[in-house]
Amino acid sequence: MKEHYISIINNLYAACDCDALIISSPSDTLYLTGYTSSDIIIVIDSNSRYIFTDKRYTTELSALLGDVYEIVDGNIGDIYKHLRGLKRIGIDEDISYSQFLLTVNTFNDYTYDGKSDTRLLIPIHSVISKIRAVKSECEIKAIERSQSITDSAFKEIKHYIKRGVSEIEIAARLDYLINSMGARTAFDTIVAFGENTACPHAHPSFRQLKDGEFVTMDFGAKLNGYCSDMTRTLAFGSADAEMRKVYDSVLRANIIGISALRAGKSGCDVDKEARDYLTSCGYGEFFTHSLGHSVGIDIHEEPVLSARNSKPLLSGTVITIEPGVYIPGKFGVRIEDMLKITEEGAYNLTKSSKSLIIIDGN
Ligand code: ZN
Ligand code: ZN
């Protein structure tokens, strides 16, 4: 593990082109340490690596990462003073207000515009995001383990989908299943029935399940710091012709999106292929969000599959394909898989079936 962290730290330091880096966003510090805490600050300069924290964490961090970082129980203000002589300081802009005040007061003669030849504070969040977009093999394995919990929860939840159950009960059960397998939930679980499935991000309510309705569940586990994300739409009791037509169209768009995905292709082109298909089915106006987003330590990472991303996708990125059709007042369908992008295409990390499942209401 030591080599893994030293290598990503060195990559980041080289990519930022700064004399020192100050990193405090919990997602970024987790990426650079494997350790989850919102109370650590990492400082990297040309010959040292420090973790600033307090006594709650020093013993554990020293045991885990003492050979990678110098673990310091101290005031970040002291290291800020130490850094003051340096010309280019990279700073993670996702900081608290108190840290912001400390930063602007300590580095009061620094500028931010990037043009000045004087001392500079340089935002580095976008550089870190770019590096984090390409996952290492051990990150991919962590995401796969997380997704296998999500797949297992899906297998189990079908037994609880019964007439009269509420959206909240199913959401709570999914959360319990994920927690009981040793993971946290990656985000607030979405469960919607009937007309509520027409809201892409519906909040679970006490609405009870009736026959002939769709059930949409969008959920994921977070294990060892890495998220998974999956959506499945099932029918309860029966599905009429219109429901089947929409389901088949969304499933086909999901498969088209997955076939289009490969390294070198742009995010907007992949989005367009799936979107064009839904438009040809007459559902273009009902597909109201982008086709997918990257997943890793955060549930929504860059890059995305949308009209606004014309950049080529990179091998090693983990990304969702989640077309949806939402017909207000009626119902909606979304089918979401999570994939690893490779040079040849995409490898599906989601193992749950996508064929329309109709749960027997008897
Ligand atoms: Zn999702
Ligand atoms: Zn998603």
Side-chain angles (χ1 to χ4, degrees):
M1 270 341 249
K2 179 184 176 184
E3 287 69 31
H4 167 77
Y5 288 116
I6 291 178
S7 141
I8 56 176
I9 291 162
N10 289 343
N11 275 351
L12 175 65
Y13 187 76
C16 289
D17 187 26
C18 292
D19 299 311
L21 308 179
I22 302 169
I23 298 150
S24 56
S25 128
S27 299
D28 292 338
T29 59
L30 172 59
Y31 176 66
L32 295 170
T33 61
Y35 190 78
T36 303
S37 170
S38 53
D39 289 308
I40 65 178
I41 297 175
I42 293 173
V43 175
I44 301 163
D45 65 19
S46 57
N47 45 35
S48 310
R49 302 180 289 266
Y50 303 98
I51 293 178
F52 284 81
T53 185
D54 61 59
K55 284 204 169 50
R56 288 172 298 166
Y57 303 109
T58 45
T59 310
E60 199 179 1
L61 278 168
S62 298
L64 288 171
L65 293 157
D67 54 355
V68 180
Y69 293 93
E70 190 175 323
I71 314 297
V72 183
D73 167 23
N75 185 344
I76 191 67
D78 295 337
I79 190 71
Y80 273 29
K81 280 179 211 146
H82 169 73
L83 297 177
R84 259 200 56 84
L86 299 174
K87 196 167 172 196
R88 296 168 64 82
I89 295 181
I91 189 149
D92 194 347
E93 53 268 46
D94 185 9
I95 56 176
S96 66
Y97 184 63
S98 60
Q99 238 177 298
F100 165 76
L101 286 181
L102 177 67
T103 307
V104 292
N105 287 332
T106 310
F107 302 106
N108 54 358
D109 55 342
Y110 282 61
T111 56
Y112 312 89
D113 60 14
K115 295 172 205 135
S116 162
D117 201 30
T118 58
R119 294 165 174 182
L120 286 171
L121 281 178
I122 299 165
I124 56 169
H125 186 73
S126 61
V127 182
I128 304 179
S129 296
K130 224 181 255 175
I131 291 175
R132 275 177 47 190
V134 175
K135 270 65 181 174
S136 67
E137 271 313 306
C138 69
E139 289 183 288
I140 302 270
K141 283 204 176 76
I143 296 171
E144 270 186 304
R145 279 193 289 270
S146 175
Q147 178 56 34
S148 78
I149 288 180
T150 302
D151 282 321
S152 299
F154 177 64
K155 199 172 164 201
E156 194 61 25
I157 197 66
K158 288 174 224 159
H159 304 303
Y160 295 88
I161 298 175
K162 297 191 160 90
R163 187 177 299 108
V165 75
S166 72
E167 295 167 343
I168 282 176
E169 281 174 85
I170 294 298
R173 179 62 62 178
L174 276 169
D175 293 356
Y176 172 78
L177 288 166
I178 288 169
N179 292 159
S180 64
M181 285 182 268
R184 292 165 49 208
T185 49
F187 54 94
D188 288 348
T189 299
I190 296 169
V191 174
F193 300 159
E195 72 285 353
N196 291 348
T197 57
C199 298
H201 274 203
H203 293 93
S205 71
F206 287 107
R207 161 90 162 65
Q208 292 179 310
L209 183 60
K210 293 181 281 204
D211 284 48
E213 291 186 333
F214 272 138
V215 174
T216 296
M217 295 175 285
D218 186 349
F219 60 105
K222 184 165 189 170
L223 183 70
N224 296 326
Y226 283 84
C227 299
S228 52
D229 188 7
M230 172 170 92
T231 307
R232 287 292 181 268
T233 302
L234 318 174
F236 179 70
S238 62
D240 66 23
E242 189 183 13
M243 288 165 76
R244 285 173 191 271
K245 184 169 178 257
V246 172
Y247 191 92
D248 289 347
S249 304
V250 173
L251 177 56
R252 183 86 196 117
N254 169 285
I255 292 164
I256 287 170
I258 291 173
S259 320
L261 199 59
R262 74 177 53 82
K265 197 128 176 196
S266 69
C268 58
D269 284 350
V270 179
D271 177 274
K272 188 173 182 311
E273 287 191 33
R275 197 170 296 280
D276 284 352
Y277 174 73
L278 285 174
T279 302
S280 75
C281 300
Y283 299 129
E285 65 177 302
F286 302 118
F287 178 21
T288 48
H289 53 72
S290 57
L291 183 64
H293 56 89
S294 295
V295 179
I297 289 170
D298 292 319
I299 189 64
H300 290 125
E301 295 190 353
E302 296 291 332
V304 293
L305 301 177
S306 85
R308 70 181 167 88
N309 180 20
S310 56
K311 292 191 188 125
L313 297 161
L314 299 175
S315 181
T317 299
V318 172
I319 206 156
T320 67
I321 294 272
E322 48 181 306
V325 165
Y326 311 96
I327 306 174
K330 282 191 168 178
F331 59 79
V333 173
R334 179 166 65 258
I335 302 171
E336 175 180 27
D337 288 343
M338 204 173 53
L339 303 109
K340 177 178 89 163
I341 299 175
T342 70
E343 297 295 337
E344 296 78 35
Y347 173 73
N348 203 334
L349 303 168
T350 309
K351 304 301 178 195
S352 298
S353 166
K354 291 184 280 198
S355 306
L356 177 60
I357 296 169
I358 301 179
I359 300 214
D360 189 354
N362 298 313

